Amino acid sequence: MKKLLCKEVGGACDEVFTGNTLEEIGQKAKVHAMAANDDAHKQKMVEMMAKSSEEQQAFWREMRQKFADTPDAE
């Protein structure tokens, strides 16, 4: 299991997400961002939605590498 912060996966705060896969953490981050209902998270969501397909692919490549480089949570 790994731990990443909201802001480490493109979000706006220090909320901690845990998961066995990047997809699991990503889903938790998405639910969190939608529920946060604040300007910072809304802006991050707008920025993500404005990315081109190539930019989104690059973002996910970076996230997969970040997940792989993150040590297992204790």
Side-chain angles (χ1 to χ4, degrees):
M1 181 172 301
K2 300 197 181 199
K3 282 197 266 190
L4 290 170
L5 300 176
C6 177
K7 63 185 173 188
E8 291 179 304
V9 293
C13 72
D14 291 325
E15 181 80 20
V16 176
F17 305 114
T18 59
N20 293 312
T21 66
L22 178 60
E23 291 75 15
E24 185 179 351
I25 290 176
Q27 182 61 33
K28 289 177 181 181
K30 180 180 176 182
V31 169
H32 162 76
M34 294 175 77
N37 198 28
D38 62 43
D39 290 340
H41 284 86
K42 286 179 186 177
Q43 181 61 35
K44 291 294 186 176
M45 290 173 59
V46 167
E47 290 171 10
M48 181 62 74
M49 297 301 286
K51 289 181 187 281
S52 69
S53 178
E54 293 82 16
E55 290 170 324
Q56 287 182 15
Q57 289 175 9
F59 172 82
W60 285 108
R61 276 193 303 274
E62 182 181 320
M63 289 299 100
R64 283 191 292 275
Q65 187 62 52
K66 183 179 295 225
F67 184 83
D69 292 344
T70 300
D72 288 339
E74 295 181 19

